[in-house]
Amino acid sequence: MAERHHGITGRETASGKIPIRDAATAVIAMLAYADDADEEAFPLNTPILVTSINRVLPKAGVTGNLRKNLEIISQITSPTLVVIRIENPYSPSLDQSTVIGTTDEFGQRTGLQALLTVKSVLGITPKIICVPDVETVDVTNAIGAICKKLRAYSYITPRDAEGMIMKSAEAVANFRQMLAFREIEIIWPEFTSGNVFLGSGDSDLEFTDISLQTTPADRSFVTLTYDLYRNGQKVESNQTVGDPEPDSTSGSFINCIETIFQSYPDISIDQGGGGIAHFSTRNGYRILGNKGDLEKESIRLVFKQNPSQEDDLFPMLIDRYSGQPFNSPIELITLGKTMYEGF
């Protein structure tokens, strides 16, 4: 006699088509460094899941490149982001072993090797690997090996053993020949901010004229956070300078720039049009632009908003013509005859 069954019976077959499991391909993992970052929020060599970049920015410190890269990512997208903070590899020259990492005496993986622990710690697998500002040949090959294990991909800017960006296409081509992994994509030259303090010059480039609106500072003290580059090399990162007696926003801006260059006696500021015309070296050689090609040492100042500073001057900087505040970051560079139009 057949047994009666009330309800639904399901049968699974071992043969046939198996549904494909979707992979989360938008998970980003980033290695960065900041000596003054919050130890609890960003412990060394430990994968940390960042679900809101704005919430962790105050804990990212102002030195190194951690905060800078978090700001850049937040302006583009709001991804699933894994951050691994490493020791500062520039102390003072680039130590590639700090970035590549190893397994210490306590069994903890450091540097790039810590990426292999993300799955076990956070339950997700990063598919886009970012290791900004340190992508030498050895580091890039180490990134490629990690990418192959994780089935991930990485975008890098080629650099030499000192961490300097390659200066020619030939050097980049040689760099590519020394890579052993197809999981690496080279981006060269490096992307830069679109907000550049430039004036009209004898160049074929389309420059943007930007001038500051002079408004009362309305504070007893103001600060400005900046990065300084010379000849493409970052010599100061996330440093803060202040104006103890602010009179106006434009005046404080100039005072802050003059304070920055007090530590560099070989650089002087040439005034023009009520503002800054050029930076020049002590030997009298003026830095000019020739169709976008710098004839002499380039000097770049990158200013950025710093929410951790209550007296931050950046939110008070207003475009003279549009009346709108500037977006962070903005660059002041020596390129073109009139780099800064004035006030």
Side-chain angles (χ1 to χ4, degrees):
M1 181 177 178
E3 294 183 2
R4 296 182 60 84
H5 174 71
H6 180 74
I8 299 174
T9 300
R11 292 189 177 90
E12 293 185 1
T13 176
S15 61
K17 296 181 180 180
I18 300 175
I20 297 176
R21 184 177 180 181
D22 293 337
T25 59
V27 179
I28 300 175
M30 179 179 71
L31 262 70
Y33 53 91
D35 292 336
D36 59 346
D38 189 294
E39 291 284 349
E40 294 185 1
F42 295 102
L44 283 173
N45 300 304
T46 303
I48 298 298
L49 179 62
V50 175
T51 57
S52 174
I53 294 179
N54 289 333
R55 291 180 181 176
V56 300
L57 271 180
K59 302 178 181 180
V62 295
T63 64
N65 68 351
L66 175 57
R67 183 188 181 90
K68 176 192 73 172
N69 289 295
L70 287 175
E71 289 178 348
I72 292 172
I73 293 174
S74 68
Q75 292 178 11
I76 300 172
T77 183
S78 298
T80 301
L81 177 64
V82 177
V83 174
I84 299 177
R85 185 173 71 91
I86 62 175
E87 294 278 1
N88 187 352
Y90 290 97
S91 54
S93 59
L94 176 59
D95 181 7
Q96 301 180 62
S97 62
T98 301
V99 183
I100 296 172
T102 184
T103 301
D104 63 19
E105 63 271 20
F106 302 106
Q108 182 181 10
R109 295 186 178 186
T110 65
L112 284 169
Q113 309 309 313
L115 290 168
L116 300 176
T117 67
V118 174
K119 176 68 174 179
S120 60
V121 174
L122 301 176
I124 56 178
T125 302
K127 294 298 181 180
I128 302 174
I129 309 300
C130 301
V131 191
D133 301 326
V134 291
E135 307 102 310
T136 64
V137 169
D138 292 339
V139 170
T140 302
N141 275 313
I143 295 172
I146 297 294
C147 287
K148 186 171 285 293
K149 293 179 180 179
L150 298 177
R151 293 187 175 182
Y153 205 74
S154 182
Y155 303 87
I156 66 101
T157 298
R159 299 172 184 271
D160 60 21
E162 300 299 324
M164 300 292 295
I165 298 176
M166 297 291 182
K167 296 182 179 180
S168 66
E170 291 78 6
V172 175
N174 292 333
F175 184 98
R176 175 74 257 187
Q177 293 298 321
M178 290 185 283
L179 301 183
F181 301 93
R182 66 177 185 176
E183 289 83 2
I184 302 295
E185 181 169 332
I186 291 178
I187 297 176
W188 184 88
E190 189 179 40
F191 293 140
T192 58
S193 168
N195 294 311
V196 183
F197 279 91
L198 294 175
S200 301
D202 296 333
S203 172
D204 295 335
L205 298 179
E206 293 294 331
F207 293 151
T208 302
D209 295 326
I210 301 178
S211 293
L212 286 182
Q213 185 180 104
T214 300
T215 57
D218 196 26
R219 293 181 184 179
S220 59
F221 187 82
V222 294
T223 60
L224 194 59
T225 302
Y226 68 94
D227 296 338
L228 175 62
Y229 295 79
R230 297 191 67 172
N231 256 354
Q233 181 177 5
K234 183 185 291 186
V235 294
E236 294 189 44
S237 177
N238 285 320
Q239 299 299 309
T240 301
V241 66
D243 183 9
E245 298 180 355
D247 180 30
S248 65
T249 54
S250 56
S252 292
F253 182 75
I254 293 292
N255 291 340
C256 287
I257 294 175
E258 291 176 342
T259 302
I260 292 171
F261 287 120
Q262 285 179 357
S263 302
Y264 300 89
D266 62 320
I267 300 175
S268 60
I269 302 174
D270 296 339
Q271 304 293 328
I276 299 173
H278 299 283
F279 299 139
S280 61
T281 54
R282 183 170 289 276
N283 62 10
Y285 191 106
R286 188 179 298 276
I287 304 171
L288 298 175
N290 179 19
K291 296 184 178 180
D293 297 326
L294 294 178
E295 298 176 356
K296 191 66 174 175
E297 175 187 28
S298 63
I299 301 169
R300 296 174 55 213
L301 274 173
V302 180
F303 300 101
K304 58 190 72 175
Q305 188 169 353
N306 190 349
S308 65
Q309 295 288 337
E310 295 182 357
D311 299 317
D312 189 15
L313 176 64
F314 194 96
M316 304 168 64
L317 301 180
I318 306 297
D319 190 309
R320 178 181 178 183
Y321 300 113
S322 69
Q324 299 298 316
F326 292 112
N327 294 323
S328 176
I330 53 177
E331 296 186 31
L332 181 61
I333 68 176
T334 54
L335 178 62
K337 281 190 173 180
T338 305
M339 173 191 62
Y340 189 68
E341 185 176 317
F343 310 118

